[in-house]
Amino acid sequence: MPLRHYHRKLGAGPTDPAPLSMVETVITLKPKDQWRIGMTWDQLIAEMDQKLQYPGMPNIWWMPIQTRTEMLATGIRSGLGIKVFGDNLDDIEASAVAIEHALLNDERTAPHTRSAFAERLTGGYYIDFSIDRDKIARYGLTVDDVQEVLSAAVGGLTVSKTIEGRERYDINLRYARDFRDNPEALKQVLVPTPSGAHVPLSQLSKLEFINGPPMLRNEAGELVSLIFVDVKDISFVDYVTVAQQVVDEKVTLAQGVRVEWAGQFKYYERVKETLKILVPVTLLIVFLMLFINHGSLVETLIILLAIPFSLIGAVWLLYLLEYNLSIAVWVGMIALAGLAAEMGILMLLYLDLSYRQRIADNRLHTQQDLTETIVDGAARRIRPKLMSGMTTLIGLTPILWRTGTGADVVKRIAAPMVGGMASTLLLVLIVFPTIYSYWKGWKL
C-alpha cells in the first residue's frame, strides 16, 4: 500500500507547479497481515510522524493518487488550507506566518494540528546578470544576443530530435556542468560577437545575488499565499470552527489582507449549502407523494414519524463508531429517510387492511375490538415487515467491517442506514400501533 509523505517536489510539470520547498516521498507499506499486532492506520501515521521530524519540513500524510486529485480540485496539497490574500508580499507573508504560529501554539488547536506551514513568499535566492547596454553596444551586440547565449549555456538549447522506434527524444545542447555550476564559471561564458571574437560574460554584465519570491500565486486578481494544515483526531468542520476563533483573537492582519479557508472544508461548505435546499425539497416531495397516495393528512404525518424514529438509531451508531458528520454521512441520512418512510408505509398498510376488514365484517364496535384489529395487523403480520427491514440491515452490516480501498467513505454511508433501520424496526413495531390506536380510537 503506497503512502505519500510530503516534503519536496522532485519534478513538476506545467499543469502541476510546485516550489522547491515541496518534497514527496512515497512509502510502500507491507501487507496489513504483516503489521505488528494491534497496529492500526492511525497509530502507524502517528508513529511515523513522531519519528520523522525535520526543522522547516512539516509532514503531510496522504495517498499518492489523493495528492493529485486534491491539488487539481482545490490547489491545496493538504486536507485543510488557508488562503491569505493581499497586495503586498511582505504583508501577506507576515500574516500567514502569524497564523501558522497561532495554530501551532494555541492550546485549543495545537493538540489537533499535526502540522501547519505557511509558504514563504520572499525567501528565494537568485543569480541575476545585469547587462550593461553601453558595453554590449561597443561589440555590436543586443540584449537579446547576450540573453540567448546565457540561456543556451545554462538552460540548454534543443537543436534536433532523435527517433528511436516509437520513441522521440529531444537533443539538448548546453555547457557541461563544470562550466556552469558556480558563479565564477558563469562569468566566463563566452558571447560571440559579429566580428568573430568571443567575449566573456563578465565583461558585458554584472553578476548579482538577489532575493525574490520563489513562487507567486494569483487568484481573483490578488496575490495569495497558502497555509497548509494537517489535522488529526478531529473533523475539518470542528477544527475550522475553533481555528477561526484562534485566528481572530491571536492574529492581527495587515491592512488589505484577508483570509479564506479552503481544501476539503470547502467541499463541506458547498455541500451544506446544497443540502439546505435538497433536504427540505426531498421531504416535501415525499410528503406530497404520500398525501396523494393516501388522501389523508393524518396518515401521511404518521408515516413521516418513521423518519425521526430512524434518526435515533443513526445518531447513536455514529456516536459509538466515533464518526463525525461528513458528506458521506449526510448521503446515508438521506437514503435512510427513504427506507424509514418505506417501513412506515408498510406498517400502516397492514394496519389499514386489518381495520378495513373488521369494518367490512361489522366486527369493530369497542376499544377491545380495535385492539384485536391492531394486534392482527401488527403482530400477526410481523414476518413481511421484518423481512423488509432485515434484508437492508443484514446486507449493509458487513460493510462496517470493511478495510479495503474506499471503505472509509462506504462505511460512513452505511452506518446511518444500519443504525437507523435497527431503531426504525423497533419503534415502528411498537410505537406505530399505539399511535394508530389513539387515532382510530378517537373515532370510536
Side-chain angles (χ1 to χ4, degrees), residues 5-6 73 95 129 144 181 193 267 301 364 388 404 424 427:
H5 176 215
Y6 258 115
S95 300
F129 281 91
D144 189 54
D181 62 354
T193 64
Y267 293 159
L301 294 176
L364 186 59
S388 300
T424 301
L427 294 173

Side-chain angles (χ1 to χ4, degrees), residues 186-317:
L186 290 175
K187 291 180 180 180
Q188 302 306 315
V189 171
L190 299 177
V191 180
T193 64
S195 64
H198 289 75
V199 183
L201 193 60
S202 59
Q203 297 182 18
L204 304 174
S205 61
K206 180 180 179 181
L207 178 65
E208 298 176 328
F209 293 91
I210 62 174
N211 292 329
M215 182 174 179
L216 290 177
R217 299 179 187 272
N218 185 287
E219 186 174 324
E222 296 179 279
L223 293 172
V224 61
S225 176
L226 302 180
I227 305 171
F228 305 102
V229 184
D230 197 16
V231 177
K232 62 179 180 180
D233 304 329
I234 193 174
S235 69
F236 288 122
V237 179
D238 294 336
Y239 182 87
V240 170
T241 301
V242 177
Q244 286 177 334
Q245 298 176 356
V246 172
V247 172
D248 291 340
E249 296 174 7
K250 299 293 184 66
V251 179
T252 301
L253 299 178
Q255 185 71 25
V257 175
R258 65 182 179 87
V259 171
E260 180 180 310
W261 297 81
Q264 293 186 13
F265 171 75
K266 204 71 174 180
Y267 293 159
Y268 180 85
E269 288 293 304
R270 189 182 307 148
V271 172
K272 185 175 70 173
E273 294 302 318
T274 303
L275 289 177
K276 286 181 180 179
I277 302 174
L278 184 61
V279 172
V281 169
T282 301
L283 293 176
L284 178 61
I285 293 174
V286 172
F287 173 82
L288 292 176
M289 292 177 66
L290 291 174
F291 181 75
I292 293 172
N293 182 62
H294 292 273
S296 170
L297 179 62
V298 177
E299 288 190 13
T300 302
L301 294 176
I302 291 176
I303 293 173
L304 291 178
L305 280 177
I307 296 178
F309 288 163
S310 65
L311 293 178
I312 296 174
V315 171
W316 270 107
L317 186 58

Side-chain angles (χ1 to χ4, degrees), residues 97-118:
V97 172
I99 294 174
E100 170 196 318
H101 293 163
L103 297 179
L104 290 173
N105 298 326
D106 192 273
E107 60 182 7
R108 290 168 290 181
T109 54
H112 304 295
T113 307
R114 182 179 286 119
S115 65
F117 179 73

Side-chain angles (χ1 to χ4, degrees), residues 49-211:
D49 187 67
Q50 182 180 6
K51 294 183 178 180
L52 297 174
Q53 289 291 335
Y54 300 95
M57 301 181 72
N59 299 325
I60 300 173
W61 303 95
W62 265 13
M63 290 294 185
I65 189 63
Q66 187 182 14
T67 63
R68 292 291 173 259
T69 56
E70 292 294 337
M71 289 180 69
L72 288 173
T74 66
I76 306 295
R77 62 176 183 262
S78 61
L80 180 64
I82 306 173
K83 296 181 180 180
V84 182
F85 294 88
D87 299 321
N88 183 278
L89 290 179
D90 293 330
D91 292 341
I92 295 174
E93 180 176 338
S95 300
V97 172
I99 294 174
E100 170 196 318
H101 293 163
L103 297 179
L104 290 173
N105 298 326
D106 192 273
E107 60 182 7
R108 290 168 290 181
T109 54
H112 304 295
T113 307
R114 182 179 286 119
S115 65
F117 179 73
E119 289 182 325
R120 269 55 175 179
L121 297 182
T122 58
Y125 295 94
Y126 298 88
I127 296 177
D128 186 37
F129 281 91
S130 298
I131 300 175
D132 191 321
R133 295 177 180 270
D134 293 333
K135 291 182 179 180
I136 64 174
R138 298 192 192 109
Y139 293 98
L141 298 171
T142 64
V143 173
D144 189 54
D145 294 333
V146 180
Q147 289 179 340
E148 281 186 359
V149 171
L150 184 60
S151 175
V154 178
L157 179 66
T158 300
V159 295
S160 183
K161 180 176 293 187
T162 179
I163 302 176
E164 306 290 342
R166 293 174 56 84
E167 301 173 1
R168 306 289 189 273
Y169 299 100
D170 290 333
I171 299 176
N172 190 270
L173 180 66
R174 64 176 176 178
Y175 274 28
R177 186 176 297 276
D178 293 340
F179 296 97
R180 56 181 173 83
D181 62 354
N182 62 78
E184 292 303 320
L186 290 175
K187 291 180 180 180
Q188 302 306 315
V189 171
L190 299 177
V191 180
T193 64
S195 64
H198 289 75
V199 183
L201 193 60
S202 59
Q203 297 182 18
L204 304 174
S205 61
K206 180 180 179 181
L207 178 65
E208 298 176 328
F209 293 91
I210 62 174
N211 292 329

